[in-house]
Amino acid sequence: MPSKTLPPRPRSIAAKKTISIVASLYNEDLVNSLLDSTVHGLRTLIPGITVNIYRVPGAFEIPVAVARLTRRKLKRPEAVLCLGVILRGKTKHADHIGHSVTQSLAQIAITSGIPVIHEVLLLETKAQAKARCL
């Protein structure tokens, strides 16, 4: 039986030097800290990279923006990095949002073939979030 040839490996992010970041405005101080660190890290690791930043109201809206970016005919991102902070309260609402965002981002990555980096953090308290984000 003849062996199957594998499709060509995808190019690395560094090859095209463009990445999109979708970041939540909710818990803005925490997310802005994550965003600043992420952009700095990308520009340090990949000189000349272009970073396109898109802001959405909350974590729940992140997958909507990512889906739209990955469906573009022109200027599709090589990868999308998602940043958000969800704080648990005394209800299950945060768990539902976190689960929905995770499932949606995974599905978008699978169907689009574009890497989607999930950094939408689901944390217990504001103190835990500050320790993780600031």
Side-chain angles (χ1 to χ4, degrees):
M1 177 187 291
S3 65
K4 293 183 180 180
T5 58
L6 296 174
R9 293 180 68 185
R11 289 194 248 177
S12 71
I13 294 169
K16 290 187 180 179
K17 298 185 179 180
T18 301
I19 191 168
S20 293
I21 298 174
V22 178
S24 169
L25 289 167
Y26 200 78
N27 292 313
E28 191 170 18
D29 58 330
L30 300 166
V31 177
N32 284 348
S33 182
L34 289 173
L35 180 60
D36 292 344
S37 297
T38 300
V39 171
H40 175 73
L42 286 168
R43 290 190 173 142
T44 300
L45 292 170
I46 310 170
I49 191 170
T50 299
V51 179
N52 299 315
I53 300 169
Y54 303 90
R55 300 303 295 258
V56 294
F60 193 72
E61 291 78 24
I62 290 172
V64 176
V66 174
R68 190 169 187 173
L69 287 169
T70 60
R71 280 193 228 121
R72 286 179 167 177
K73 298 288 185 213
L74 300 173
K75 297 184 181 181
R76 286 178 68 194
E78 284 71 55
V80 182
L81 206 153
C82 306
L83 302 174
V85 174
I86 303 168
L87 296 175
R88 280 195 170 96
K90 295 182 183 192
T91 68
K92 291 282 189 185
H93 182 72
D95 292 325
H96 296 305
I97 297 295
H99 179 75
S100 176
V101 169
T102 298
Q103 294 296 62
S104 297
L105 293 178
Q107 189 60 42
I108 293 165
I110 290 166
T111 58
S112 71
I114 294 174
V116 176
I117 296 94
H118 181 320
E119 284 300 318
V120 180
L121 307 176
L122 178 56
L123 302 164
E124 298 296 326
T125 65
K126 185 89 166 182
Q128 187 185 48
K130 285 181 180 179
R132 184 93 185 262
C133 299
L134 300 179

